[in-house]
C-alpha cells in the first residue's frame, strides 16, 4: 500500500523542482526526504528519481505517480471538507497564517467572533509572510492564509487556490516632524529622493516592492535601516533617522515626533484570504472568511 506522506513528498519534489526545495517547504531535512523516497521506490518497485547534474529529476514512473499523488491529496482534502460539511457546523481545528499587521489589525476581532459563535472550533493563527504562507497552504500545513499584494506589484498565487478580497489598505509616508515636508497635506514619492529610508527586511516581498516603486519614480533609495515591526520603524523615524512607508492597517497611534503624509498617487495594499479550493465546502473556512470580512469592514469604516 502506498504511504500518503511519501506521496506528499514526491508531489513536493515535482512541484518545487528539487529534493532540497521539497525539504525546505516540508520543514524536514534533505536526508529525510531521500530516505522516504527510497522507501517509496521500494514500495512501488520502480525508480522514481534519477540524478541530473547536481540534482535529480523524476523518471517517467515518478511523473506518473506524482500526477496520481496530486489527485490523491486533493481527494483527501475533499474528504475532510465533506465530512466537516456533513456535520454542518465549523468544528475541529482551523490553522491560519497571516502577515504581522493583519494578525494585529484583523485577527483579534475575527478570532473573538469565531470563539463566541463556534465554541467547538479551535481557530489558531501564526504570523508568517505572504510567500511562505502560500507554500505552507499549498502543502497543507495551514488551512487558510491572509496575504497581500500591492496595487502595482501583484503576488503570484499557485494554482488550486480560492480567494476572497478583504480590504484595500492605504499606505502613507511617515516622516519626522522636523522634515521639510512634514507640514504638507500630501507629497509625491519623488520628493523624498534625498532622504534616508527605513524599510522592511532585505529580500522580503514588501521591501522589493518599495525598491520597485521608488525606482519607478526615478528615485534610487538610500536604505539606512531595516525593521520588521511598525513600532520599531516609527521609533526610528521619530528619532530623525529616516523616512518610511507605513500602511495604516495595524499601525496604531503615531508616536510624538512623527507625521504621516498621504501620497498623491495613493499607495494601496490589496489584502485577501486564500485557501485550497478543495476545502471550499468546509464550514470552518467559510466561517473564518466571514469573520475576517466583518473585521476588515470595521477597519475600513474607521479609516474612512
Amino acid at each position: 500500500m502506498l504511504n500518503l506522506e511519501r506521496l506528499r513528498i514526491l508531489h513536493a519534489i515535482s512541484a518545487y523542482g528539487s529534493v532540497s526545495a521539497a525539504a525546505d517547504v516540508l520543514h524536514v531535512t534533505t536526508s529525510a526526504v531521500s530516505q522516504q523516497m527510497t522507501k517509496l521506490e521500494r514500495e512501488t518497485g520502480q525508480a522514481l528519481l534519477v540524478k541530473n547534474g547536481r540534482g535529480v529529476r523524476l523518471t517517467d514512473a515518478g511523473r506518473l505517480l506524482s500526477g496520481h499523488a496530486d489527485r490523491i491529496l486533493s481527494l483527501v482534502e475533499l474528504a475532510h471538507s465533506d465530512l466537516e460539511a456533513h456535520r454542518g457546523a465549523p468544528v475541529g481545528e482551523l490553522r491560519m497564517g497571516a502577515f504581522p499587521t493583519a494578525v494585529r489589525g484583523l485577527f483579534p476581532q475575527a478570532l473573538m467572533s469565531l470563539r463566541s459563535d463556534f465554541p467547538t472550533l479551535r481557530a489558531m493563527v501564526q504570523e508568517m509572510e505572504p510567500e511562505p504562507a502560500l507554500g505552507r497552504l499549498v502543502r497543507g500545513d495551514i488551512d487558510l492564509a491572509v496575504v497581500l499584494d500591492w496595487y502595482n506589484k501583484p503576488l503570484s498565487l499557485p494554482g488550486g487556490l480560492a480567494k476572497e478580497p478583504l480590504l484595500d489598505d492605504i499606505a502613507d509616508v511617515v516622516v519626522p516632524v522636523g522634515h521639510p515636508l512634514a507640514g504638507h497635506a500630501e507629497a509625491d514619492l519623488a520628493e523624498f529622493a534625498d532622504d534616508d529610508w527605513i524599510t522592511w527586511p532585505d529580500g522580503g516581498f514588501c521591501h522589493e516592492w518599495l525598491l520597485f516603486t521608488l525606482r519607478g519614480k526615478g528615485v534610487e533609495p538610500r536604505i539606512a535601516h531595516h525593521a520588521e515591526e511598525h513600532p520599531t520603524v516609527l521609533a526610528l523615524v521619530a528619532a530623525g533617522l529616516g523616512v518610511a512607508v507605513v500602511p495604516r492597517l495595524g499601525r496604531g497611534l503615531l508616536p510624538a515626533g512623527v507625521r504621516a503624509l498621504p501620497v498623491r498617487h495613493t499607495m494601496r495594499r490589496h489584502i485577501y484570504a486564500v485557501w485550497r479550493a478543495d476545502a471550499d465546502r468546509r464550514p470552518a473556512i467559510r466561517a473564518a472568511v466571514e469573520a475576517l470580512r466583518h473585521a476588515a469592514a470595521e477597519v475600513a469604516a474607521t479609516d474612512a
Side-chain angles (χ1 to χ4, degrees):
M1 182 177 292
L2 296 173
N3 179 281
L4 186 62
E5 287 310 308
R6 289 170 196 149
L7 290 178
R8 193 182 302 279
I9 290 172
L10 176 66
H11 181 258
I13 294 172
S14 176
Y16 294 97
S18 71
V19 167
S20 59
D24 286 342
V25 299
L26 294 171
H27 294 291
V28 296
T29 64
T30 54
S31 61
V33 169
S34 298
Q35 289 168 16
Q36 291 301 311
M37 289 306 303
T38 298
K39 291 178 181 178
L40 184 59
E41 289 182 326
R42 194 157 52 238
E43 288 173 352
T44 60
Q46 298 193 59
L48 304 174
L49 301 175
V50 293
K51 288 189 178 296
N52 184 31
R54 292 187 175 183
V56 297
R57 64 174 176 81
L58 271 65
T59 63
D60 289 344
R63 286 193 295 272
L64 177 66
L65 187 56
S66 177
H68 285 295
D70 187 30
R71 291 187 290 275
I72 289 167
L73 294 170
S74 177
L75 285 171
V76 169
E77 185 65 57
L78 276 173
H80 285 303
S81 299
D82 286 346
L83 282 171
E84 187 176 318
H86 182 70
R87 288 193 294 262
V91 296
E93 184 176 279
L94 183 69
R95 302 156 301 169
M96 296 178 283
F99 57 96
T101 50
V103 174
R104 185 161 62 246
L106 297 178
F107 274 84
Q109 179 181 334
L111 290 171
M112 285 176 59
S113 175
L114 289 171
R115 185 171 63 179
S116 173
D117 294 342
F118 309 107
T120 57
L121 177 66
R122 298 190 305 279
M124 301 170 291
V125 66
Q126 180 179 350
E127 285 188 359
M128 57 187 74
E129 291 302 317
E131 289 171 323
L134 290 176
R136 296 187 67 178
L137 180 64
V138 167
R139 66 179 179 268
D141 289 348
I142 58 175
D143 304 300
L144 181 146
V146 173
V147 299
L148 66 92
D149 57 23
W150 290 88
Y151 67 102
N152 59 343
K153 193 173 178 64
L155 179 69
S156 178
L157 287 182
L161 298 182
K163 73 175 186 176
E164 173 82 17
L166 297 175
L167 177 71
D168 274 1
D169 182 29
I170 296 173
D172 302 308
V173 177
V174 293
V175 302
V177 290
H179 192 278
L181 298 174
H184 292 213
E186 60 181 12
D188 190 273
L189 285 177
E191 295 180 80
F192 299 97
D194 296 327
D195 284 282
D196 288 337
W197 282 89
I198 301 159
T199 181
W200 291 270
D202 194 11
F205 181 71
C206 287
H207 172 74
E208 295 303 319
W209 164 81
L210 181 64
L211 298 183
F212 170 81
T213 302
L214 289 172
R215 286 166 180 164
K217 294 283 187 178
V219 175
E220 184 57 40
R222 295 200 310 263
I223 305 301
H225 307 285
H226 296 272
E228 189 163 1
E229 294 294 330
H230 284 180
T232 305
V233 172
L234 294 172
L236 293 170
V237 173
L241 298 172
V243 302
V245 169
V246 178
R248 296 177 185 178
L249 177 66
R251 185 170 73 193
L253 295 175
L254 293 176
V258 175
R259 170 89 163 84
L261 290 175
V263 176
R264 288 191 185 95
H265 301 286
T266 304
M267 301 181 295
R268 297 178 185 272
R269 303 190 300 178
H270 307 304
I271 298 170
Y272 44 96
V274 291
W275 61 95
R276 294 181 300 280
D278 294 336
D280 199 53
R281 285 178 283 188
R282 284 187 64 188
I285 295 288
R286 304 314 310 174
V289 171
E290 189 64 19
L292 287 164
R293 285 181 64 247
H294 281 298
E298 291 209 4
V299 169
T302 302
D303 238 6

